[in-house]
Amino acid sequence: MDKSVILCGSKQDYIVMGTCNDINGRQCDWSVTVDGHGTNNFINIVKKIDFVPFIIQNDPITHIIEYFTSLNGTYLNNTLSVFQNVRKFKPSSGCTIIVVKIYDDLIEGAVIGDSRCAVYIDNEEVFISTPHNMKNPLEMERIGKRNDITTDFNGNQIIKIIGDKKAVLVPSIYTIFESEGGNIRIALTQALGHDCITGYEPERFSFKYNKEQHLRFVSGSDGFWDMILNKKEIMLSTDDVIVKELIDELLPDMI
């Protein structure tokens, strides 16, 4: 199996991979991709973890969640941050995670956060994960059942790629989780860390294939996927005002 890893300079991005036999005795290749945010406290812990004991289980993401839940309250100190002083938000630390196991006839995994992954079989995209944020209908339904969450639409502007040579600035959207001692403000609706305040409902995927088929798996942080123009998503993104206005001009180049 060919493997390639590209790290783009961020100390909060991390990927680890290997080969192991699971608890059923089946050999698989595996990888874990994470992207930290907030302070470095949590991501520094994640980088020291031996993930193999989790990977060999039948449902790795559940065991990973349980382990990091046990660390609640242990990875932040009392040092005040800019957010806590100025915006009355408490310091927080967390990361996204993508876990995948690849057997000779099966690929399966799970995603938490806005890092993304895609599965291709014979060069056809059969799956691409959906970021856990306020644009995800399932996440809006999930957190809509809670009364301790608000939304901030006045976040810092971020770059949105709308063509091979074009980009625009759009406002980012933050989710605010109410918490004792100060609220937690993050761009995601679901992430490891943050004392598990986001709750968890990982996006799972599983696909079978045969030895005659070519399998390709791609995972990366949101920064990577923001640079990739996905044809299917562009065609379905008519609710995006910016894309709507420029779609006739840019769509041929995008595709």
Side-chain angles (χ1 to χ4, degrees):
M1 178 177 292
D2 296 328
K3 303 175 184 177
S4 178
V5 177
I6 300 176
L7 296 178
C8 300
S10 171
K11 294 181 179 180
Q12 290 197 324
D13 294 340
Y14 177 67
I15 185 170
V16 61
M17 59 182 63
T19 302
C20 67
N21 291 328
D22 66 17
I23 60 174
N24 302 310
R26 293 195 64 191
Q27 180 174 306
C28 66
D29 292 296
W30 63 271
S31 75
V32 174
T33 305
V34 297
D35 181 15
H37 49 261
T39 70
N40 290 332
N41 300 57
F42 191 77
I43 194 66
N44 288 341
I45 293 175
V46 173
K47 290 179 179 179
K48 298 176 182 178
I49 298 297
D50 176 10
F51 279 97
V52 173
F54 305 114
I55 295 297
I56 64 174
Q57 304 298 323
N58 289 329
D59 187 16
I61 195 66
T62 295
H63 295 276
I64 290 172
I65 291 171
E66 290 176 351
Y67 173 76
F68 284 115
T69 299
S70 71
L71 299 181
N72 283 356
T74 65
Y75 47 82
L76 281 174
N77 54 40
N78 294 322
T79 303
L80 295 179
S81 69
V82 172
F83 286 110
Q84 192 172 15
N85 281 328
V86 178
R87 299 181 179 176
K88 307 302 181 184
F89 297 118
K90 65 187 296 186
S92 61
S93 186
C95 75
T96 67
I97 187 167
I98 300 171
V99 181
V100 66
K101 297 165 69 173
I102 303 176
Y103 298 90
D104 58 7
D105 61 352
L106 173 71
I107 178 172
E108 61 182 13
V111 184
I112 293 175
D114 63 356
S115 293
R116 306 182 70 181
C117 65
V119 178
Y120 304 86
I121 297 179
D122 287 341
N123 292 321
E124 179 183 354
E125 181 186 283
V126 297
F127 171 78
I128 184 167
S129 62
T130 304
H132 290 139
N133 56 34
M134 291 302 293
K135 295 181 179 179
N136 184 328
L138 293 178
E139 279 297 277
M140 292 180 67
E141 180 181 358
R142 181 181 72 87
I143 66 175
K145 300 174 183 177
R146 299 172 52 170
N147 57 11
D148 61 341
I149 298 174
T150 56
T151 303
D152 178 7
F153 291 91
N154 298 312
N156 299 327
Q157 289 193 324
I158 58 175
I159 295 175
K160 180 179 179 65
I161 306 297
I162 58 173
D164 289 345
K165 299 180 181 179
K166 294 188 179 183
V168 293
L169 290 175
V170 297
S172 57
I173 303 174
Y174 284 88
T175 307
I176 300 173
F177 297 86
E178 297 179 8
S179 174
E180 293 184 7
N183 296 339
I184 293 177
R185 179 178 182 267
I186 58 176
L188 314 182
T189 53
Q190 196 173 155
L192 288 179
H194 308 289
D195 285 346
C196 301
I197 197 170
T198 68
Y200 298 114
E201 195 169 307
E203 181 177 10
R204 291 176 165 83
F205 59 92
S206 178
F207 296 92
K208 290 186 176 182
Y209 65 101
N210 59 54
K211 295 181 179 180
E212 285 71 40
Q213 293 178 304
H214 178 261
L215 174 72
R216 185 167 76 253
F217 174 75
V218 181
S219 68
S221 66
D222 60 320
F224 166 77
W225 289 101
D226 285 346
M227 299 297 293
I228 301 298
L229 292 173
N230 181 280
K231 180 174 70 174
K232 184 184 299 182
E233 292 184 345
I234 292 172
M235 297 293 287
L236 296 175
S237 63
T238 53
D239 288 337
D240 191 313
V241 175
I242 296 171
V243 174
K244 229 179 211 181
E245 293 176 349
L246 299 173
I247 195 80
D248 290 336
E249 174 189 354
L250 298 176
L251 189 56
D253 289 338
M254 288 180 175
I255 296 176

